[in-house]
Amino acid sequence: MEQKDGGKTPGPLDGVKVLDLSRFIAGPLCAQILGDFGAEVVKIERPRGEDSRHHGPYWQGESIYMFLYHRNKQAATLDTRHPRAKAILEDLVRWADIVVENFRPGTLDKMGLGYERMKELNESVILVSISGFGQTGPESHRALFDAISQASSGLMSVTGEPDGKPTLSGTYIADYTTGYQGAIGALAALAHRERTGEGQLVDIASYDTMFSALGTRLIAELMLGLEMPRSGSRDLLTAPVNVYEAADGPIYIQAGTASLFPKLCSVMDREDLAADPRYATVEGRMRDQESLESAIQRWAGGLTREEIARRLDGAGIPYANVASVREAAASPQLAARGMIAEVEHPSLGTIRMPNNPIHMEKSPPTVRKAPPRAGEDNDHVYGVVLGMSPEEIALLRAEGAI
């Protein structure tokens, strides 16, 4: 991903205007992805800042949440209870090509700014509505955070050790997946509008996205009637695949296919395992995983991870050291891919964050602007985007509206 270039290189979404009314992770991430590709994004939040600005951990007094989901945005504040707030929001809807929101369904309608009203203001507007359970259905009214999505979709039930409790993912996987799907939906709606001139409502539910991500387990249960319990670090369908303890730390080895298993046996100098009828098929290896993994563990335990890596590399066997977050961040491979972005903030100094993982030859995403503080761009949004005079902006400030 390209770094800050002063805006000289137009992105593929250059000229697209995005109004970000969302909070927390999924909605802001969706809008940030659009911003990474050149869209002009205006983020609106309450005068004290959105809730996630007040969640630790903090760096120089700023929540790290803001560093992750709000780069390439103009940040403006607005008290939606102020008498002028609705008119201001309506002007922003008229300005926008895309609106991103993740309120509970029905909230925008109560504000008098639901999709039907937005269409009256801007007939070609695209509204990306991100919610927990979607805009329709008997549970659409329910509140949801990432963990609730993992629990309700079935993901938590299949995560963890076979004899342990259902377990959350170690990151906000539901929020991230939902944010990505929101960005895909926005781009598809833009393409449709290019052909027809029509805007539309894009309805993205976290519950839906997590359910759709269950993959093989879902089809196995629905179509084959198979119950696939939690498998820990093992693969669902092949063996041997697991974490093994080398002399200096854990290493993950994936050698479960018909072609890879004999190669692993050769690397281990254990051709007898390849010849053992118990392990001749995938099904057999799945049945006798315990004994097979014991043999691999005895071999791995006498070697360092570097020694194992050399042997597996030479045989073309997939493996990875089980890295800590810090170890992963220091990876030469990620450095070569530019996956740690650095951007200068005018008052906070250098901010480091994960880069956009999409690499494109002709129109790559860019980091052009550091994540802003709440209201940092009020003068730009109200003065330039909406064309208000300095006196009007000063009055809004005096009244506590922004």
Side-chain angles (χ1 to χ4, degrees):
M1 178 176 171
E2 296 293 324
Q3 300 305 303
K4 186 176 179 182
D5 63 0
K8 296 176 183 177
T9 304
L13 298 183
D14 191 49
V16 174
K17 295 169 289 188
V18 178
L19 174 60
D20 180 9
L21 302 177
S22 63
R23 307 157 296 160
F24 298 109
I25 297 175
L29 177 61
C30 169
Q32 177 176 278
I33 292 169
L34 302 177
D36 285 352
F37 283 100
E40 180 181 358
V41 182
V42 168
K43 175 178 174 57
I44 300 295
E45 55 191 312
R46 66 183 69 177
R48 69 186 290 267
E50 70 159 85
D51 289 343
S52 60
R53 287 190 184 272
H54 308 285
H55 292 179
Y58 299 93
W59 185 74
Q60 295 195 43
E62 292 289 321
S63 169
I64 63 170
Y65 277 84
M66 304 310 294
F67 301 154
L68 290 171
Y69 315 115
H70 295 290
R71 64 175 177 241
N72 293 332
K73 298 182 184 182
Q74 306 285 337
T77 52
L78 179 66
D79 181 355
T80 56
R81 295 168 296 182
H82 189 273
R84 290 195 59 191
K86 183 180 177 183
I88 290 171
L89 288 172
E90 288 183 341
D91 283 343
L92 286 167
V93 170
R94 292 187 183 98
W95 165 84
D97 296 298
I98 300 170
V99 178
V100 179
E101 64 93 11
N102 63 350
F103 299 112
R104 198 180 301 188
T107 300
L108 283 180
D109 289 311
K110 291 177 182 177
M111 295 169 60
L113 202 62
Y115 178 56
E116 293 304 317
R117 175 56 180 158
M118 287 192 186
K119 285 197 297 183
E120 292 175 0
L121 298 166
N122 181 351
E123 64 180 5
S124 64
V125 73
I126 295 165
L127 174 59
V128 179
S129 287
I130 294 173
S131 63
F133 292 92
Q135 303 297 309
T136 59
E139 296 185 84
S140 61
H141 65 283
R142 290 180 54 193
L144 179 145
F145 283 96
D146 183 284
I148 305 303
S149 183
Q150 293 191 44
S152 60
S153 66
L155 177 64
M156 190 185 295
S157 74
V158 299
T159 304
E161 294 298 325
D163 56 352
K165 293 181 179 180
T167 305
L168 276 174
S169 166
T171 188
Y172 301 114
I173 188 65
D175 283 340
Y176 281 105
T177 305
T178 304
Y180 299 148
Q181 297 284 26
I184 292 169
L187 294 174
L190 271 178
H192 176 82
R193 195 180 73 174
E194 283 292 309
R195 293 196 305 271
T196 68
E198 299 172 333
Q200 62 183 297
L201 171 64
V202 180
D203 177 3
I204 305 290
S206 177
Y207 185 42
D208 296 348
T209 61
M210 276 296 86
F211 181 73
S212 71
L214 291 174
T216 306
R217 288 184 183 274
L218 179 60
I219 299 302
E221 301 235 5
L222 289 182
M223 298 187 67
L224 303 178
L226 298 178
E227 184 175 349
M228 305 188 78
R230 291 184 293 279
S231 56
S233 297
R234 287 173 169 168
D235 187 72
L236 289 175
L237 302 173
T238 63
V241 179
N242 212 334
V243 177
Y244 301 94
E245 286 294 330
D248 58 348
I251 185 169
Y252 196 88
I253 301 174
Q254 187 151 357
T257 66
S259 61
L260 289 174
F261 177 61
K263 293 179 181 179
L264 177 63
C265 296
S266 178
V267 162
M268 294 169 56
D269 293 324
R270 290 293 308 271
E271 282 78 3
D272 60 300
L273 293 176
D276 192 318
R278 291 177 298 169
Y279 310 135
T281 64
V282 170
E283 292 76 15
R285 296 195 294 276
M286 292 290 288
R287 282 194 303 270
D288 285 294
Q289 288 186 80
E290 296 291 344
S291 61
L292 182 54
E293 288 177 351
S294 294
I296 298 170
Q297 178 56 61
R298 287 192 294 273
W299 168 75
L303 300 168
T304 66
R305 293 194 292 186
E306 184 178 352
E307 290 170 330
I308 294 172
R310 281 201 303 268
R311 301 181 188 194
L312 297 180
D313 253 341
I317 298 171
Y319 73 92
N321 290 342
V322 180
S324 68
V325 173
R326 290 188 182 186
E327 287 171 336
S331 160
Q333 176 65 19
L334 288 178
R337 300 283 290 172
M339 280 306 300
I340 300 291
E342 292 187 352
V343 62
E344 293 300 317
H345 190 280
S347 58
L348 297 176
T350 303
I351 297 174
R352 304 179 75 212
M353 66 189 78
N355 236 335
N356 191 305
I358 299 173
H359 297 260
M360 297 172 65
E361 180 184 0
K362 303 298 184 183
S363 53
T366 58
V367 177
R368 303 176 306 284
K369 186 178 186 294
R373 285 176 160 163
E376 182 177 301
D377 303 293
N378 276 349
D379 287 339
H380 173 82
V381 171
Y382 291 109
V384 177
V385 173
L386 294 185
M388 292 184 183
S389 68
E391 292 76 20
E392 288 178 292
I393 297 172
L395 181 60
L396 288 174
R397 281 200 176 96
E399 293 176 346
I402 63 175

